[in-house]
Amino acid sequence: MDRQGMHQDLEKVLISQEEINQAVVRMGRQITRDYAGKRPVFVCILKGAVMFFTDLLRQIDLPLTTDFMAISSYGSSTKTSGVVRILKDLDHDVLGKDVLVVEDIVDSGLTLSYIKKVLGERGARSVRLVTLLDKPQRRRVELKVDYACFEIPNEFVVGYGLDYQEEYRNLPYVGVLHPRFYEDEEAAETP
Ligand code: IMP
Ligand code: MG
Protein backbone atom coordinates (compact mmCIF):
# COMPACT_ATOMS: atom_id res chain seq x y z
CA MET A 1 0.00 0.00 0.00
CA ASP A 2 1.45 3.36 -1.03
CA ARG A 3 1.79 6.03 1.59
CA GLN A 4 0.28 9.36 0.57
CA GLY A 5 1.77 11.34 3.42
CA MET A 6 1.35 10.87 7.15
CA HIS A 7 -1.81 12.85 7.74
CA GLN A 8 -3.71 11.29 4.84
CA ASP A 9 -2.96 7.76 6.09
CA LEU A 10 -5.13 8.29 9.17
CA GLU A 11 -8.78 7.44 9.57
CA LYS A 12 -9.18 10.08 12.27
CA VAL A 13 -7.41 12.13 14.91
CA LEU A 14 -8.11 10.53 18.29
CA ILE A 15 -6.25 12.91 20.63
CA SER A 16 -5.19 16.39 19.54
CA GLN A 17 -1.93 18.16 20.36
CA GLU A 18 -3.79 20.47 22.70
CA GLU A 19 -5.41 17.58 24.60
CA ILE A 20 -2.06 15.81 24.95
CA ASN A 21 -0.49 19.00 26.22
CA GLN A 22 -3.11 19.56 28.90
CA ALA A 23 -3.00 15.95 30.10
CA VAL A 24 0.81 15.98 30.28
CA VAL A 25 0.83 19.20 32.32
CA ARG A 26 -1.76 17.73 34.72
CA MET A 27 0.16 14.49 35.12
CA GLY A 28 3.44 16.36 35.70
CA ARG A 29 1.84 18.31 38.55
CA GLN A 30 0.37 15.14 40.05
CA ILE A 31 3.69 13.27 40.00
CA THR A 32 5.50 16.33 41.43
CA ARG A 33 3.07 16.28 44.37
CA ASP A 34 3.16 12.50 44.84
CA TYR A 35 6.97 12.31 44.86
CA ALA A 36 7.68 15.43 46.95
CA GLY A 37 10.86 14.88 48.98
CA LYS A 38 11.98 11.93 46.82
CA ARG A 39 14.61 11.60 44.09
CA PRO A 40 12.90 9.31 41.59
CA VAL A 41 14.40 7.62 38.54
CA PHE A 42 12.37 7.93 35.33
CA VAL A 43 12.85 5.06 32.91
CA CYS A 44 11.88 5.67 29.29
CA ILE A 45 10.86 2.62 27.30
CA LEU A 46 12.38 3.15 23.85
CA LYS A 47 11.38 4.15 21.31
CA GLY A 48 7.64 4.78 21.57
CA ALA A 49 7.70 6.71 24.86
CA VAL A 50 10.37 9.23 23.82
CA MET A 51 8.06 12.16 22.97
CA PHE A 52 5.87 11.63 26.02
CA PHE A 53 8.91 11.19 28.29
CA THR A 54 10.61 14.42 27.26
CA ASP A 55 7.39 16.46 27.44
CA LEU A 56 6.35 14.97 30.79
CA LEU A 57 9.73 15.43 32.48
CA ARG A 58 9.70 19.13 31.65
CA GLN A 59 6.49 19.39 33.70
CA ILE A 60 7.98 17.75 36.79
CA ASP A 61 9.67 19.83 39.47
CA LEU A 62 11.77 17.22 41.32
CA PRO A 63 15.48 16.28 41.51
CA LEU A 64 15.00 13.31 39.19
CA THR A 65 17.34 11.21 37.07
CA THR A 66 16.66 9.44 33.77
CA ASP A 67 17.50 6.10 32.25
CA PHE A 68 16.50 4.22 29.11
CA MET A 69 15.49 0.68 28.26
CA ALA A 70 14.66 -0.93 24.93
CA ILE A 71 12.39 -3.95 24.79
CA SER A 72 11.40 -6.18 21.95
CA SER A 73 8.17 -8.11 22.03
CA TYR A 74 7.98 -10.82 19.45
CA GLY A 75 4.98 -10.82 17.15
CA SER A 76 3.54 -8.89 14.25
CA SER A 77 3.58 -5.11 14.12
CA THR A 78 0.00 -4.68 15.38
CA LYS A 79 -0.16 -7.56 17.90
CA THR A 80 2.08 -8.57 20.80
CA SER A 81 3.01 -12.20 21.27
CA GLY A 82 3.76 -11.90 24.98
CA VAL A 83 7.41 -12.85 24.74
CA VAL A 84 9.55 -9.95 25.92
CA ARG A 85 13.31 -9.46 25.55
CA ILE A 86 15.59 -6.65 26.80
CA LEU A 87 17.50 -5.15 23.84
CA LYS A 88 19.09 -2.31 25.80
CA ASP A 89 19.29 -2.43 29.56
CA LEU A 90 19.44 0.43 32.06
CA ASP A 91 22.81 2.17 32.56
CA HIS A 92 22.34 2.58 36.32
CA ASP A 93 21.48 0.42 39.29
CA VAL A 94 17.92 0.75 40.64
CA LEU A 95 18.65 -0.76 44.05
CA GLY A 96 16.79 1.26 46.71
CA LYS A 97 15.41 3.70 44.11
CA ASP A 98 11.88 4.94 43.51
CA VAL A 99 11.38 4.09 39.84
CA LEU A 100 8.73 5.34 37.42
CA VAL A 101 8.56 3.42 34.16
CA VAL A 102 7.26 5.54 31.29
CA GLU A 103 5.54 3.82 28.34
CA ASP A 104 3.66 5.01 25.29
CA ILE A 105 0.76 2.55 25.56
CA VAL A 106 -0.37 -0.36 27.71
CA ASP A 107 -2.06 -2.95 25.55
CA SER A 108 -1.91 -6.58 26.72
CA GLY A 109 0.12 -5.39 29.72
CA LEU A 110 2.79 -8.04 29.15
CA THR A 111 5.66 -5.61 28.52
CA LEU A 112 5.12 -3.55 31.65
CA SER A 113 4.35 -6.48 33.90
CA TYR A 114 7.66 -8.05 32.82
CA ILE A 115 9.62 -4.82 33.38
CA LYS A 116 7.97 -4.25 36.74
CA LYS A 117 8.92 -7.76 37.84
CA VAL A 118 12.55 -7.35 36.70
CA LEU A 119 13.01 -3.98 38.43
CA GLY A 120 11.44 -5.35 41.62
CA GLU A 121 13.86 -8.28 41.56
CA ARG A 122 16.75 -5.83 41.22
CA GLY A 123 15.77 -4.21 44.51
CA ALA A 124 13.98 -1.02 43.45
CA ARG A 125 12.25 0.46 46.51
CA SER A 126 9.14 1.18 44.49
CA VAL A 127 8.10 0.76 40.85
CA ARG A 128 5.18 2.71 39.40
CA LEU A 129 3.88 2.62 35.85
CA VAL A 130 3.22 5.74 33.79
CA THR A 131 1.63 5.66 30.35
CA LEU A 132 0.30 8.08 27.79
CA LEU A 133 -2.37 5.66 26.55
CA ASP A 134 -4.17 2.72 28.11
CA LYS A 135 -6.24 0.13 26.21
CA PRO A 136 -7.82 -1.66 29.20
CA GLN A 137 -10.03 -3.90 27.02
CA ARG A 138 -6.96 -5.65 25.66
CA ARG A 139 -5.38 -6.65 28.98
CA ARG A 140 -4.10 -10.22 29.20
CA VAL A 141 -2.48 -9.94 32.63
CA GLU A 142 -3.61 -8.12 35.73
CA LEU A 143 -1.61 -4.92 35.97
CA LYS A 144 -1.93 -1.74 37.99
CA VAL A 145 -1.25 1.30 35.80
CA ASP A 146 -0.50 4.08 38.27
CA TYR A 147 -0.67 7.07 35.91
CA ALA A 148 -2.43 7.12 32.51
CA CYS A 149 -3.22 10.24 30.48
CA PHE A 150 -5.94 8.65 28.30
CA GLU A 151 -7.96 5.45 28.11
CA ILE A 152 -8.63 4.56 24.50
CA PRO A 153 -10.79 1.98 22.71
CA ASN A 154 -9.38 -1.08 21.02
CA GLU A 155 -8.03 0.57 17.88
CA PHE A 156 -4.50 0.66 16.49
CA VAL A 157 -3.11 4.16 16.98
CA VAL A 158 -0.01 5.99 15.77
CA GLY A 159 1.67 9.32 16.40
CA TYR A 160 3.35 11.19 19.27
CA GLY A 161 5.94 8.41 19.48
CA LEU A 162 3.75 5.45 18.51
CA ASP A 163 4.63 3.70 15.29
CA TYR A 164 3.37 1.37 12.65
CA GLN A 165 6.38 -0.41 11.16
CA GLU A 166 8.61 2.35 12.61
CA GLU A 167 6.74 5.16 10.83
CA TYR A 168 4.39 7.91 12.07
CA ARG A 169 6.25 8.52 15.35
CA ASN A 170 6.68 12.17 14.38
CA LEU A 171 2.97 12.98 14.06
CA PRO A 172 2.31 15.63 16.73
CA TYR A 173 -1.02 14.04 17.75
CA VAL A 174 -2.45 10.52 18.22
CA GLY A 175 -4.54 9.14 15.39
CA VAL A 176 -6.14 5.94 14.19
CA LEU A 177 -4.28 4.49 11.24
CA HIS A 178 -6.53 3.60 8.34
CA PRO A 179 -7.18 -0.16 8.62
CA ARG A 180 -6.27 -0.63 4.95
CA PHE A 181 -2.62 -0.59 6.10
CA TYR A 182 -2.87 -3.73 8.18
CA GLU A 183 -5.89 -5.57 6.80
CA ASP A 184 -3.55 -7.98 4.97
CA GLU A 185 -1.79 -8.77 8.23
CA GLU A 186 -5.09 -9.45 10.05
CA ALA A 187 -6.29 -11.71 7.27
CA ALA A 188 -3.03 -13.64 7.39
CA GLU A 189 -3.52 -14.34 11.09
CA THR A 190 -7.09 -15.61 10.84
CA PRO A 191 -7.01 -19.42 10.98
P1 IMP B 1 1.81 -4.75 25.60
O1 IMP B 1 2.97 -5.54 26.12
O2 IMP B 1 0.85 -5.60 24.84
O3 IMP B 1 1.12 -3.92 26.66
O4 IMP B 1 2.38 -3.85 24.47
C1 IMP B 1 2.80 -2.58 24.56
C2 IMP B 1 3.57 -2.23 23.30
O5 IMP B 1 2.87 -2.64 22.11
C3 IMP B 1 3.71 -0.75 23.22
O6 IMP B 1 4.90 -0.31 23.82
C4 IMP B 1 3.67 -0.48 21.73
O7 IMP B 1 4.98 -0.53 21.19
C5 IMP B 1 2.89 -1.62 21.13
N1 IMP B 1 1.49 -1.21 20.84
C6 IMP B 1 0.37 -1.67 21.41
N2 IMP B 1 -0.73 -1.09 20.91
C7 IMP B 1 -0.29 -0.21 19.98
C8 IMP B 1 -0.97 0.73 19.11
O8 IMP B 1 -2.19 0.90 19.07
N3 IMP B 1 -0.15 1.45 18.29
C9 IMP B 1 1.21 1.34 18.29
N4 IMP B 1 1.87 0.49 19.08
C10 IMP B 1 1.13 -0.28 19.93
MG1 MG C 1 6.06 -0.22 18.97
Side-chain angles (χ1 to χ4, degrees), residues 3-14:
R3 305 284 160 87
Q4 295 151 348
M6 293 195 302
H7 302 282
Q8 289 92 323
D9 293 353
L10 298 185
E11 195 171 67
K12 62 177 181 231
V13 175
L14 194 63

Side-chain angles (χ1 to χ4, degrees), residues 32-46:
T32 301
R33 278 196 295 272
D34 293 353
Y35 282 78
K38 299 202 166 101
R39 309 176 81 82
V41 180
F42 282 78
V43 172
C44 177
I45 305 302
L46 297 171

Side-chain angles (χ1 to χ4, degrees), residues 116-135:
K116 189 169 184 178
K117 181 177 105 235
V118 168
L119 299 183
E121 285 166 1
R122 292 181 187 178
R125 179 161 64 186
S126 67
V127 181
R128 282 194 183 163
L129 306 179
V130 182
T131 188
L132 176 72
L133 306 176
D134 187 4
K135 276 187 198 170

Side-chain angles (χ1 to χ4, degrees), residues 76 78-79 182-191:
S76 72
T78 59
K79 300 223 172 69
Y182 53 87
E183 263 158 10
D184 296 349
E185 196 179 292
E186 306 248 294
E189 283 181 19
T190 309

Side-chain angles (χ1 to χ4, degrees), residues 27 37 80-82 137 153 155 189-190:
M27 186 182 279
T80 346
S81 68
Q137 294 164 27
E155 284 179 298
E189 283 181 19
T190 309

Side-chain angles (χ1 to χ4, degrees), residues 48 104 163 169:
D104 51 358
D163 73 304
R169 295 193 197 275

Side-chain angles (χ1 to χ4, degrees), residues 25 33 42 44 51 59 97 107 128 143 164 183 189:
V25 169
R33 278 196 295 272
F42 282 78
C44 177
M51 314 266 172
Q59 302 300 329
K97 303 281 190 185
D107 189 36
R128 282 194 183 163
L143 183 72
Y164 173 63
E183 263 158 10
E189 283 181 19

